[in-house]
Amino acid sequence: MWDEVEARSEENGHETPVIELRKIVRLYEMGGELIYALRDVSLRIHRNEYVAIMGPSGSGKSTLMNLIGCLDTPSSGQYFFNGELVSKMDDVDLAAIRNQQIGFVFQTFNLLPRSDALRNVELPLIYAGVSKSERHDRAVQALDHVGLSDRMTHRPNELSGGQRQRVAIARALVTNPSIILADEPTGNLDTRTGQEIMRLFEELWKQGNTIILVTHEEDIARHAARIIRVRDGRIESDGPNNERVRAVVDDVKGG
């Protein structure tokens, strides 16, 4: 089984990465001073990886997430998304990536308070110009996928924190993105509910999704198969979470 894991890893090395950063620098000017948020960051993330980007507050992990999500641009360096250089894309291309290729899940849920769960999940499809009947069917399917088929007509204030985050995950899934980018997805949840959300990410990963999880919590990062640690704007370490990989192997053997 270990041979199979290594073979898949080697095979991934020959595929075009979903995400490739080359010597990325991000500078901000504050009070007349230049502040380095990221310094010479290079990394690759392949399809169907489960990656945690971890670091303390001020480490640069949020800046890195914004760059990966095409919400920000680097001061220098190159970012390739599915093999295409992002700096050569126009606003329409970037909007299409954010709407169709990346599903975002945020700590604060970012749901429309006056809209029910179904309408919140439909929102990316409205922006994408999908027909009313199709977006309804896809939103229903996405909510069913996260176990909320009985909460579709509930507004956010009628849902628990865990249910609101499930709506946010359904919204991220509804466009069938190549990447799910989650920023502190359990930050506003109690421990038990947080673990339920992490089990949902686990299921999505096993179904073939690429998961990129941004967190400052060690116990949350340990759910990922690979952990990238960021400190002072640099990648401090990047490697497999051996404990997690062994658990996957044991699970496969047990199956």
Side-chain angles (χ1 to χ4, degrees), residues 21-247:
L21 306 182
R22 297 181 185 175
K23 297 185 179 298
I24 292 291
V25 172
R26 184 63 172 101
L27 281 165
Y28 295 98
E29 186 174 347
M30 298 180 64
E33 293 185 23
L34 290 176
I35 307 297
Y36 279 86
L38 295 174
R39 299 171 180 260
D40 197 31
V41 170
S42 297
L43 63 86
R44 290 181 173 184
I45 297 174
H46 288 87
R47 193 173 307 281
N48 195 214
E49 279 202 88
Y50 189 170
V51 180
I53 298 175
M54 187 182 176
S57 178
S59 63
K61 67 181 186 300
S62 294
T63 302
L64 183 55
M65 181 206 73
N66 288 336
L67 287 170
I68 290 173
C70 295
L71 300 172
D72 194 8
T73 55
S75 302
S76 64
Q78 295 177 309
Y79 174 20
F80 293 86
F81 186 88
N82 281 329
E84 296 186 27
L85 187 59
V86 171
S87 62
K88 291 189 176 181
M89 297 180 184
D90 60 23
D91 290 343
V92 174
D93 294 329
L94 293 173
I97 287 176
R98 291 190 294 264
N99 181 256
Q100 300 169 26
Q101 298 296 315
I102 300 175
F104 294 92
V105 179
F106 298 100
Q107 177 179 350
T108 53
F109 317 131
N110 287 8
L111 301 176
L112 299 177
R114 296 184 180 182
S115 298
D116 62 21
L118 188 65
R119 182 70 172 180
N120 269 286
V121 174
E122 283 184 331
L123 195 60
L125 300 178
I126 294 173
Y127 292 144
V130 176
S131 69
K132 184 176 181 179
S133 61
E134 183 181 348
R135 67 178 184 247
H136 176 273
D137 291 345
R138 287 169 63 174
V140 167
Q141 184 178 16
L143 283 165
D144 183 59
H145 193 69
V146 300
L148 287 181
S149 57
D150 60 341
R151 293 290 187 272
M152 293 184 189
T153 60
H154 288 62
R155 293 182 179 182
N157 65 355
E158 299 171 321
L159 300 171
S160 68
Q163 289 171 338
R164 277 177 275 172
Q165 193 60 292
R166 285 176 180 268
V167 173
I169 293 171
R171 182 184 57 193
L173 291 172
V174 76
T175 58
N176 298 317
S178 57
I179 295 170
I180 297 173
L181 185 55
D183 180 22
E184 302 282 6
T186 63
N188 283 340
L189 305 175
D190 61 68
T191 301
R192 182 184 63 81
T193 306
Q195 290 300 317
E196 291 176 359
I197 294 300
M198 295 313 299
R199 283 195 291 272
L200 179 55
F201 280 120
E202 175 88 7
E203 293 170 11
L204 296 173
W205 176 48
K206 289 180 178 179
Q207 291 164 11
N209 290 94
T210 303
I211 309 290
I212 303 175
L213 178 73
V214 179
T215 184
H216 69 279
E217 299 180 67
E218 188 74 41
D219 60 330
I220 296 300
R222 283 200 295 266
H223 287 269
R226 172 186 171 192
I227 300 177
I228 300 171
R229 298 182 186 274
V230 181
R231 185 176 294 275
D232 298 328
R234 301 181 186 274
I235 292 181
E236 186 177 56
S237 65
D238 180 358
N241 177 7
N242 291 324
E243 179 182 335
R244 184 69 191 83
V245 172
R246 290 191 185 97

